[in-house]
């Protein structure tokens, strides 16, 4: 059985930086992972690329040959990937062993994980190839500075969860750039009543019922559980990776190692 992270989130949320830091961390602890680039517009990488969608199709070529803009061109590239799952992707996956760990660095176009079925079909293909997959949704901590932005981020993440139907780990990225951590901590594990009170203060009275429904939805889907990630701290990366490993059951098939020891003298 293989294991995979699908790293998604809005543009600029730190997906490639997360992949790079994760690779360096695993290299330090002598753990093998393989980073896969799924962004046809990517140019530079801070990690070794194990598989690269640009070997199949690139955004630059699509825009030049078909006269499409950046957004339309990117969707065209991803649909081309979808059409080549049984050929290109299957051939690439055959280069890896059953227990390999892949991390897919995805584009930041929100349509891909909210309502366009490309990534959903991509995930189903991985699952047919016997991969356990977890969606890792990154949200920029700079974005979560008040209740309205927090709810917006939760709704986007919930949309991805429903679309992909995967175990889901939500990460607040760029915590190393936060200047006032107190503003963020209020939204890491908040009480529903706190959220509702904050939202009602920001919104007009006629939105009271909508506010209550939104908070109930967030609370019932446990979307208020974000894991903060500070890339300056190895302990933070280690904790986030442990959460993801638990979701995809990585390491559960490993043999238990028993250490012999001498009983203490009484």
């Amino acid at each position: 059985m293989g294991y995979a992270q699908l790293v998604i989130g809005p543009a600029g949320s730190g997906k490639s930086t997360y992949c790079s830091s994760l690779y360096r961390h695993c290299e330090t602890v002598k753990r093998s992972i393989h980073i896969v680039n799924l962004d046809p517009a990517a140019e530079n990488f801070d990690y070794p690329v194990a598989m690269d969608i640009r070997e199949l199709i690139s955004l630059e070529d699509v825009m030049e040959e078909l006269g499409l803009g950046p957004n339309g061109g990117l969707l065209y590239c991803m649909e081309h990937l979808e059409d080549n799952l049984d050929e290109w992707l299957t051939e690439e996956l055959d280069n890896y062993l059953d227990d390999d760990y892949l991390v897919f660095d995805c584009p930041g176009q929100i349509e891909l994980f909210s309502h366009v079925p490309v990534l959903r079909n991509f995930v189903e293909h991985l699952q047919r190839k016997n991969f356990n997959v977890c969606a890792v949704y990154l949200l920029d901590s700079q974005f979560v500075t008040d209740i309205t932005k927090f709810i917006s981020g939760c709704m986007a993440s919930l949309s991805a969860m429903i679309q992909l139907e995967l175990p889901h780990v939500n990460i607040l990225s760029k915590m190393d750039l936060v200047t006032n951590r107190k503003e963020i901590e209020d939204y890491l594990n908040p009480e529903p009543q706190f959220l509702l009170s904050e939202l009602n203060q920001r919104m007009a009275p006629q939105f009271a019922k909508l506010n209550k429904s939104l908070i109930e939805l967030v609370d019932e889907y446990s979307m208020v559980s974000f894991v903060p990630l500070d890339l300056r701290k190895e302990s933070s990366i280690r904790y986030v990776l442990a959460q993801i490993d638990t979701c995809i059951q990585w390491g559960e098939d490993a043999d238990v190692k028993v250490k012999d020891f001498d009983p203490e003298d009484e």
Side-chain angles (χ1 to χ4, degrees), residues 89-155:
L89 183 61
T90 296
E91 183 178 334
E92 292 289 332
L93 291 176
D94 287 342
N95 296 323
Y96 297 94
L97 302 175
D98 290 341
D99 59 349
D100 273 336
Y101 197 116
L102 305 181
V103 178
F104 293 91
D105 187 1
C106 297
Q109 197 162 10
I110 196 168
E111 298 98 313
L112 296 174
F113 44 86
S114 63
H115 60 275
V116 175
V118 172
L119 285 183
R120 170 70 177 272
N121 294 333
F122 180 86
V123 165
E124 290 178 351
H125 185 83
L126 288 177
Q127 292 171 333
R128 287 195 296 270
K129 294 297 180 182
N130 206 28
F131 275 84
N132 278 358
V133 188
C134 173
V136 180
Y137 187 95
L138 271 70
L139 184 66
D140 189 343
S141 58
Q142 310 293 304
F143 186 80
V144 186
T145 55
D146 62 49
I147 182 62
T148 54
K149 293 179 180 178
F150 175 76
I151 294 298
S152 176
C154 285
M155 292 299 102

Side-chain angles (χ1 to χ4, degrees), residues 32-48:
S32 176
I33 66 170
H34 307 279
I35 312 293
V36 179
N37 173 47
L38 285 187
D39 187 353
E43 296 179 354
N44 302 309
F45 303 97
D46 291 330
Y47 53 79

Side-chain angles (χ1 to χ4, degrees), residues 18-74:
Y18 162 79
C19 291
S20 176
S21 299
L22 183 64
Y23 180 84
R24 290 197 300 270
H25 169 78
C26 290
E27 192 176 39
T28 300
V29 300
K30 311 298 184 185
R31 175 173 167 180
S32 176
I33 66 170
H34 307 279
I35 312 293
V36 179
N37 173 47
L38 285 187
D39 187 353
E43 296 179 354
N44 302 309
F45 303 97
D46 291 330
Y47 53 79
V49 180
M51 295 162 49
D52 193 345
I53 188 178
R54 296 176 305 169
E55 296 176 358
L56 175 69
I57 190 170
S58 74
L59 178 59
E60 184 179 358
D61 291 341
V62 167
M63 291 175 62
E64 182 178 340
E65 295 178 14
L66 300 181
L68 297 174
N71 289 336
L74 194 144

Side-chain angles (χ1 to χ4, degrees), residues 2 4 47-48 50 52 55 71 80 92 97 152 156 164 189 197-198 211 217 223 234 264:
Y47 53 79
D52 193 345
E55 296 176 358
N71 289 336
H80 185 72
E92 292 289 332
L97 302 175
S152 176
L164 298 175
N189 291 290
S197 174
E198 288 285 305
N211 293 343
L217 178 63
M223 290 299 298
E234 285 292 314
E264 297 180 356

